[in-house]
Amino acid sequence: MDRTVRTVEDVFALLDSLFSTAPGADGGRLATGDGRDYWDRFYTDRSRPVPFFAEKPDENLAAHLDRGLLVPGRALDLGCGHGRNALHLAARGFRVDAVDLSPVAVAWGEERARAAGADVRFHCGDAFALSADELPGPYDLVVDSGCLHHLPPHRRIGYLALLDRVLAPGGHLALTAFAAGPDGTGSELSDAELYRARSLEGGLAFTPDGLRRIFADLTEVELRRMRGQPDDSELFGVPFLWTALFRRDAAW
């Protein structure tokens, strides 16, 4: 009979274990330390027909840049995968830090960056556990293309704490996340029901109001569905995702 909980982080680790140790759990999809093995397996076979394995940036990120909503500066790509958004940002003049839980994904990203001659600083690890020396900030832009919806509810606290630490005044968060509703994807279980089910069900769906509530300390610039893109497009786009751009007010 162990009594292991002494700190808030002990509580979080205990809650993480609900998703990673339940029979048939999909806890491997966690975007935190317990999910590393799953994501390594996910990225090992590069020939898999995974839409975001394409070497192209998110259409919303490209649109924000083209419209002048974002200007070059320092950028952090959370859950960067094989670096498709990070490399695009570097090509557009950003100084980029990119972090992913999976060593396999990071190695793929570093390989692509070398081939493109792109200056991207890759980090392998749990973004919410890395030190201020590793992710020093401040960043003018934080990009999250698919990280938030693989976090269990209690890990949003660390996510928001990271933003609070690294996002510069006047800086932006560019987000994509699973959309709730008939044309969306992901689990629509409530936060409480997820713990009862002991599963993230492949990822969490969000409503616009839900995203606005989570990022209530930021100013909404845009929130819309991602625009679907044809296979021959130079951009990535699937309509079952929300895209959002939030700004941290300079006086925050």
Side-chain angles (χ1 to χ4, degrees):
M1 183 178 70
D2 295 328
R3 297 284 182 254
T4 58
V5 173
R6 182 173 176 271
T7 67
V8 171
E9 188 54 40
D10 290 338
V11 175
F12 286 175
L14 176 63
L15 293 173
D16 284 346
S17 72
L18 296 180
F19 297 101
S20 59
T21 61
D26 67 352
R29 298 193 187 191
L30 291 170
T32 54
D34 286 341
R36 178 170 298 169
D37 290 345
Y38 171 87
W39 292 111
D40 270 351
R41 293 192 301 272
F42 185 89
Y43 281 103
T44 293
D45 183 0
R46 302 181 185 182
S47 66
R48 295 175 62 201
V50 177
F52 58 83
F53 276 11
E55 297 182 2
K56 54 181 72 174
D58 288 345
E59 64 83 11
N60 56 297
L61 184 62
H64 297 332
L65 291 164
D66 292 342
R67 293 166 57 195
L69 296 175
L70 303 173
V71 297
R74 295 193 67 212
L76 172 63
D77 187 358
L78 293 175
C80 64
H82 72 325
R84 58 190 182 84
N85 285 316
L87 268 66
H88 184 73
L89 289 170
R92 298 291 293 261
F94 284 82
R95 302 184 306 282
V96 184
D97 282 337
V99 59
D100 200 277
L101 193 63
S102 164
V104 173
V106 167
W108 188 0
E110 290 175 331
E111 178 184 316
R112 291 194 61 228
R114 286 193 297 271
D119 185 12
V120 176
R121 184 180 175 217
F122 284 92
H123 307 264
C124 184
D126 183 339
F128 312 107
L130 294 178
S131 70
D133 290 335
E134 293 165 299
L135 298 180
Y139 295 101
D140 304 291
L141 173 64
V142 174
V143 174
D144 172 359
S145 184
C147 180
L148 178 70
H149 58 222
H150 288 303
L151 292 177
H154 59 279
R155 287 296 178 182
R156 291 180 209 140
I157 297 170
Y159 185 108
L160 293 172
L162 178 66
L163 287 183
D164 186 58
R165 179 173 68 81
V166 304
L167 188 60
H172 290 83
L173 168 68
L175 174 77
T176 67
F178 288 154
D183 299 322
T185 192
S187 174
E188 297 189 28
L189 291 180
S190 70
D191 284 352
E193 289 169 334
L194 291 168
Y195 292 99
R196 296 187 187 104
R198 298 181 66 179
S199 173
L200 298 183
E201 298 196 326
L204 310 187
F206 293 89
T207 64
D209 285 346
L211 291 174
R212 291 179 180 120
R213 189 175 303 113
I214 291 169
F215 299 107
D217 290 331
L218 303 177
T219 297
E220 178 185 329
V221 179
E222 181 177 86
L223 201 166
R224 62 169 174 81
R225 284 295 184 108
M226 179 175 266
R227 299 186 179 106
Q229 301 292 310
D231 291 342
D232 59 355
S233 172
E234 295 181 352
L235 304 174
F236 170 81
V238 288
F240 57 76
L241 296 172
W242 291 119
T243 74
L245 185 65
F246 294 99
R247 182 182 66 250
R248 180 178 188 177
D249 290 335
W252 189 27

